[in-house]
Amino acid sequence: MQQILQGTGSIILYFVIAAGGAIGSRFLIKIPNELFRKILHCILLGSLFMFTFAYGEWWISALAAVIFEIIVYPLLIVLERFKNFSEITTERKKGELKNSLLLVFTMYAVVVSICWGWFGDKYLALAAIYAWGFGDAVAALIGKKFGKHKITWKCTDGKKSMEGSFSMFLVSFISVMLILSYRGGINMVGVIVISLVTALVSMFSELCSKDGNDTVICPMSAMTVLIPLVYLFGGLS
């Protein structure tokens, strides 16, 4: 019980400082809407790191994520009644923030249950999620500002660009490589190969995702190739 209370307290403190500081900064300096959206996106991603290391057992971490969304979802419904809430949080449509939170923490609970619960490796959960998360944020920013070459494949929505997709691939590759390098147990050639393949899968999954479902599709796709590759290179017993 003490572990649960301490872990939950750390996560709440994280959100108070990070999200509170980000929102407060909007009243002091002018932050472009898309940049602020991605700052909130990265704060949410950072909380998954907190959930992973604030608890010593996978099931407590997964359960805490589900309980967190059960508590916060109704709170956001109440906050949405305030006139300026959507403007402050730069929602594109009403309910976007609470729905994104629901998808992210449900996805986290599933990924951590498989990677940490089944295979006993919390770093695989982080690699699968961060193969999507930070790359997606960078892709949106680069794509909107520099995305001149639109990708019009049948499976895409026609809004994404080569510049944005390449940015996602690069950030995804770096994210997975750093996590696997820190994790250890795989030689550098294996780390590079796994990171490249995972980043490519994440990039193509994001390209073919629509209406925000990349939140689920990309991490699950990354996990699907990441685990077998780690096993193939001797990183799983």
Side-chain angles (χ1 to χ4, degrees), residues 121 180-188 190-191 194 230 233-236:
D121 196 326
L180 292 183
S181 298
Y182 183 81
R183 171 188 179 272
I186 306 172
N187 62 42
M188 198 59 202
V191 168
I194 295 169
V230 170
F233 281 93
L236 282 174

Side-chain angles (χ1 to χ4, degrees), residues 72-84:
V72 175
Y73 192 87
L75 177 61
L76 290 176
I77 292 177
V78 174
L79 290 174
E80 283 177 351
R81 296 178 181 177
F82 289 90
K83 183 179 179 180
N84 295 328

Side-chain angles (χ1 to χ4, degrees), residues 203-224:
M203 182 189 72
F204 283 114
S205 298
E206 197 274 337
L207 266 176
C208 298
S209 300
K210 301 176 183 178
D211 302 323
N213 55 17
D214 59 319
T215 303
V216 175
I217 291 175
C218 292
M220 297 299 290
S221 298
M223 181 177 65
T224 301

Side-chain angles (χ1 to χ4, degrees), residues 147-226:
K148 296 180 180 179
H149 302 88
K150 298 298 181 183
I151 299 173
T152 56
W153 302 343
K154 288 185 178 180
C155 62
T156 68
D157 58 11
K159 299 177 182 178
K160 294 161 186 174
S161 67
M162 292 180 65
E163 292 84 356
S165 294
F166 179 74
S167 299
M168 176 169 181
F169 166 76
L170 186 61
V171 175
S172 177
F173 169 73
I174 293 172
S175 298
V176 176
M177 186 174 66
L178 289 175
I179 293 170
L180 292 183
S181 298
Y182 183 81
R183 171 188 179 272
I186 306 172
N187 62 42
M188 198 59 202
V189 173
V191 168
I192 292 173
V193 171
I194 295 169
S195 302
L196 281 171
V197 175
T198 305
L200 280 171
V201 169
S202 298
M203 182 189 72
F204 283 114
S205 298
E206 197 274 337
L207 266 176
C208 298
S209 300
K210 301 176 183 178
D211 302 323
N213 55 17
D214 59 319
T215 303
V216 175
I217 291 175
C218 292
M220 297 299 290
S221 298
M223 181 177 65
T224 301
V225 297
L226 180 66

Side-chain angles (χ1 to χ4, degrees), residues 7-18 50 68:
T8 303
S10 298
I11 292 167
I12 291 173
L13 181 61
Y14 166 81
F15 273 113
V16 169
I17 294 174
M50 297 289 295
F68 185 84

